[in-house]
Amino acid sequence: MKNIRKITLLFAAVLVAGACDKDFEDVNTNPNVPTVVTPDLLLSGVIKNTLNDQVNEAWSIGNIVVQHTAKIQFVNEDRYLWGERTSVWNSVFGNMRNVKNIIDIAENTEPVQNNYLGVALVMKSWMFSLATDAHGDIPYSQAIQAKSDGVYLTDYDTQESIYAGILADLKKANEILGTSNEAVGGDLLFGGSLAKWKKLANSLRLRYLMRISDKKDVKAEMQAILDNPSTFPIFESNDDNAALVYLASSPNQWPLYTSRVGSFDEFRLSKTLGDVLTNLNDPRLKVFARPTEKSVAAGTPTIEGIPNGLEDTQALSYNGGPLAVSRVGLVFACLVCNDAGKPAPVANASRGLLMTYAELQFILAEAREKNLISTGDAETFYTKGIEANMDYYKRITPAEYGIDLTLPADYFTQDGVAYTGSQAEKLAKIGTQKWIALVFNGLEAWFDWRRTNLPMLVPGASNLNNNKIPVRYIYPLAEQSLNAASREIAVTRQGPDNLNTRVWWDAN
């Protein structure tokens, strides 16, 4: 009887265990946590995350190092006491995992989803350019292969080979976009327009060909793009700008909109940018900065910048103190950063910039002036670049700000703007106007300044970098412990891991 009872209990236990196994996956599957993510969800996250990071990096360092803005307190960034800056590295390699997921999904779908693949290649190229331009040699060919291939200690590729890969991927993206039937969802930049992604691919190619033009002969490649606009379309107007449009509601507002007023107000108009725009009677000055509170109270509104690189006491007391130094313009301001009697900042006035039509025009102007291309006229490209940037700010600046962006009648004929003089003088004018147009475009103004040394910038008087403007970020300190051997090879090849070691394309 006892044996029968044991057998019965054992049989019941087996049945129960079988039932548990049968339902285990259903019971323990969370319907709110999908195991398969579609490319559209991945793409929207990549675009939003990377462009928000671009805005924040422009705010914290990009605008500072090229003297668009300056600091009145906590001035380490402005004095080049940087240490490690990991935000670009973390943004690129963190978000690159999802770019690779998009690529893997696109390539492993039958038929291949060439449209998603092309978009992913454009994003991959732009993102890797940020990391290599900031640091120099970086992991590239083996990057993001830990999960798929078990590669945890990645080699650092040379910047020269990275640029070859970037340019090849952009060329491939142009070739394959539009060759499959899937609609591209999650596209926060262009709403699924494959034509605009192709334009971005080729416009970026021109940017990066210009970037390496002091090290490589890029004439044939640049000219081939311009010779065949039907095959290699490029930006044609501000309607093609790769610019993330924000929303008025949280959490999709301008990334600085939720900043604390104290943190925001540490950053003010740089005297360098302010003086250039004032001397040119340029209406964009009122977009980039506001009249000082002291001058407004006195009934004589005046915009005043502060020199870069002052030490704390000098910075906080400059011109009589913060009330006499201009805050950043309302277009870029935070929710509680409005002035008395002025309209409140608009949550989605500004944009997250990747590349604009204005920048492209300045690239073409420089290329034509240097005879890297034979298409078009340098002065025409240059003029279109200025007009395009002016039109961009006319489009995004809210009417209630009361900013008149009409160019003075003599703007293009004044000495500082007129396309006259020697080739060096013409290139200086192109470089200066491009520098103005790159305000708040991440680190792009810094990258371009390192290549051209235009405009002429002077390190702040109290800088802590031996009177040198930094030309790269050091590698993240974690690399010394996590990937020491590969990092050491890169440092030996490239030069000391400090702020003053030039990257491969920087021939100055």
Side-chain angles (χ1 to χ4, degrees):
M1 188 67 179
K2 289 182 179 179
N3 289 336
I4 294 174
R5 184 177 298 166
K6 288 180 180 179
I7 293 172
T8 302
L9 290 173
L10 178 62
F11 183 66
V14 170
L15 288 177
V16 171
C20 289
D21 288 343
K22 179 181 179 181
D23 297 332
F24 182 81
E25 290 186 2
D26 293 335
V27 171
N28 289 278
T29 298
N30 186 342
N32 297 316
V33 182
T35 57
V36 178
V37 182
T38 54
D40 57 319
L41 296 177
L42 296 171
L43 180 61
S44 61
V46 168
I47 291 173
K48 178 183 176 182
N49 292 341
T50 54
L51 283 168
N52 282 356
D53 292 341
Q54 170 100 327
V55 170
N56 289 323
E57 198 67 8
W59 180 245
S60 60
I61 280 290
N63 294 342
I64 291 286
V65 70
V66 294
Q67 301 181 14
H68 290 149
T69 58
K71 296 198 75 175
I72 60 170
Q73 58 183 346
F74 306 114
V75 296
N76 283 351
E77 299 95 336
D78 215 353
R79 299 178 70 191
Y80 314 141
L81 190 63
W82 289 4
E84 66 166 348
R85 295 196 60 83
T86 59
S87 45
V88 171
W89 186 282
N90 292 342
S91 175
V92 169
F93 289 105
N95 286 289
M96 195 65 71
R97 288 192 290 267
N98 279 338
V99 173
K100 186 177 188 302
N101 286 336
I102 297 171
I103 292 172
D104 289 344
I105 293 169
E107 290 181 332
N108 293 316
T109 300
E110 185 61 41
V112 172
Q113 295 182 321
N114 277 331
N115 295 335
Y116 273 116
L117 178 57
V119 169
L121 289 176
V122 174
M123 291 300 296
K124 173 190 173 186
S125 300
W126 171 65
M127 290 162 63
F128 270 125
S129 78
L130 298 179
T132 188
D133 289 346
H135 296 275
D137 296 357
I138 59 169
Y140 175 71
S141 58
Q142 295 180 343
I144 322 300
Q145 292 186 2
K147 181 178 179 180
S148 59
D149 302 293
V151 179
Y152 296 98
L153 301 177
T154 55
D155 293 339
Y156 281 49
D157 296 80
T158 66
Q159 188 174 68
E160 181 176 4
S161 65
I162 294 166
Y163 259 92
I166 286 170
L167 290 166
D169 278 347
L170 289 171
K171 186 175 182 181
K172 179 179 178 180
N174 176 73
E175 292 170 353
I176 65 176
L177 282 164
T179 62
S180 57
N181 295 323
E182 83 280 5
V184 173
D187 178 8
L188 304 181
L189 273 181
F190 297 127
S193 172
L194 301 179
K196 291 190 176 183
W197 278 103
K198 287 172 72 80
K199 289 180 179 180
L200 175 58
N202 294 306
S203 298
L204 284 173
R205 284 178 67 198
L206 290 169
R207 174 198 273 181
Y208 299 138
L209 287 167
M210 182 60 76
R211 182 91 84 234
I212 66 173
S213 61
D214 287 336
K215 301 291 288 188
K216 293 281 189 179
D217 184 352
V218 299
K219 293 179 181 178
E221 287 185 78
M222 295 188 85
Q223 191 60 51
I225 294 171
L226 298 178
D227 279 345
N228 197 343
S230 60
T231 300
F232 303 111
I234 58 177
F235 289 166
E236 298 178 82
S237 71
N238 278 328
D239 291 336
D240 295 326
N241 287 347
L244 179 59
V245 179
Y246 293 100
L247 303 181
S249 57
S250 179
N252 298 310
Q253 304 150 316
W254 169 244
L256 299 178
Y257 190 68
T258 55
S259 299
R260 294 187 302 110
V261 65
S263 299
F264 189 94
D265 275 351
E266 295 169 13
F267 296 81
R268 302 296 177 104
L269 173 70
S270 168
K271 189 175 188 300
T272 305
L273 178 61
D275 286 353
V276 168
L277 294 173
T278 298
N279 291 336
L280 297 179
N281 195 19
D282 195 308
R284 287 172 290 187
L285 177 61
K286 296 179 181 178
V287 176
F288 300 145
R290 287 169 271 174
T292 67
E293 294 174 79
K294 183 178 179 180
S295 68
V296 171
T300 55
T302 307
I303 293 177
E304 295 282 352
I306 178 173
N308 288 85
L310 301 180
E311 55 87 23
D312 280 282
T313 303
Q314 294 171 332
L316 201 54
S317 61
Y318 179 80
N319 203 35
L323 295 180
V325 179
S326 289
R327 301 166 106 183
V328 173
L330 280 175
V331 168
F332 311 103
C334 68
L335 172 63
V336 290
C337 296
N338 58 305
D339 298 327
K342 292 290 184 180
V346 174
N348 59 339
S350 201
R351 305 284 186 264
L353 298 178
L354 195 159
M355 188 177 185
T356 67
Y357 173 68
E359 181 195 342
L360 175 63
Q361 293 305 295
F362 292 125
I363 291 169
L364 295 175
E366 180 184 351
R368 186 67 187 93
E369 185 59 44
K370 291 180 173 179
N371 289 316
L372 297 178
I373 59 173
S374 58
T375 300
D377 173 71
E379 182 176 3
T380 300
F381 290 134
Y382 166 75
T383 302
K384 285 184 177 180
I386 297 171
E387 291 173 339
N389 191 241
M390 203 69 61
D391 178 63
Y392 166 75
Y393 283 112
K394 287 180 181 177
R395 292 185 182 202
I396 72 167
T397 303
E400 58 264 36
Y401 292 176
I403 298 175
D404 184 2
L405 285 165
T406 303
L407 282 172
D410 66 344
Y411 186 84
F412 287 102
T413 59
Q414 60 184 314
D415 290 343
V417 179
Y419 201 73
T420 56
S422 65
Q423 183 182 67
E425 290 170 329
K426 291 176 179 177
L427 289 173
K429 292 173 181 177
I430 295 170
T432 297
Q433 289 289 341
K434 187 179 184 183
W435 169 74
I436 297 169
L438 288 173
V439 167
F440 255 115
N441 194 337
L443 298 176
E444 185 59 32
W446 181 45
F447 299 155
D448 202 60
W449 174 83
R450 285 155 50 191
R451 179 182 65 84
T452 64
N453 283 333
L454 297 170
M456 297 295 292
L457 301 178
V458 178
S462 297
N463 75 85
L464 298 172
N465 191 43
N466 296 316
N467 288 319
K468 297 176 182 178
I469 296 176
V471 293
R472 68 179 285 269
Y473 285 174
I474 68 171
Y475 291 123
L477 297 181
E479 286 291 289
Q480 295 183 26
S481 57
L482 298 178
N483 197 15
S486 296
R487 173 194 170 278
E488 185 58 31
I489 292 171
V491 171
T492 301
R493 178 176 60 221
Q494 181 170 265
D497 188 13
N498 61 42
L499 303 181
N500 302 314
T501 294
R502 298 185 182 279
V503 300
W504 165 75
W505 54 252
D506 186 354
N508 289 299

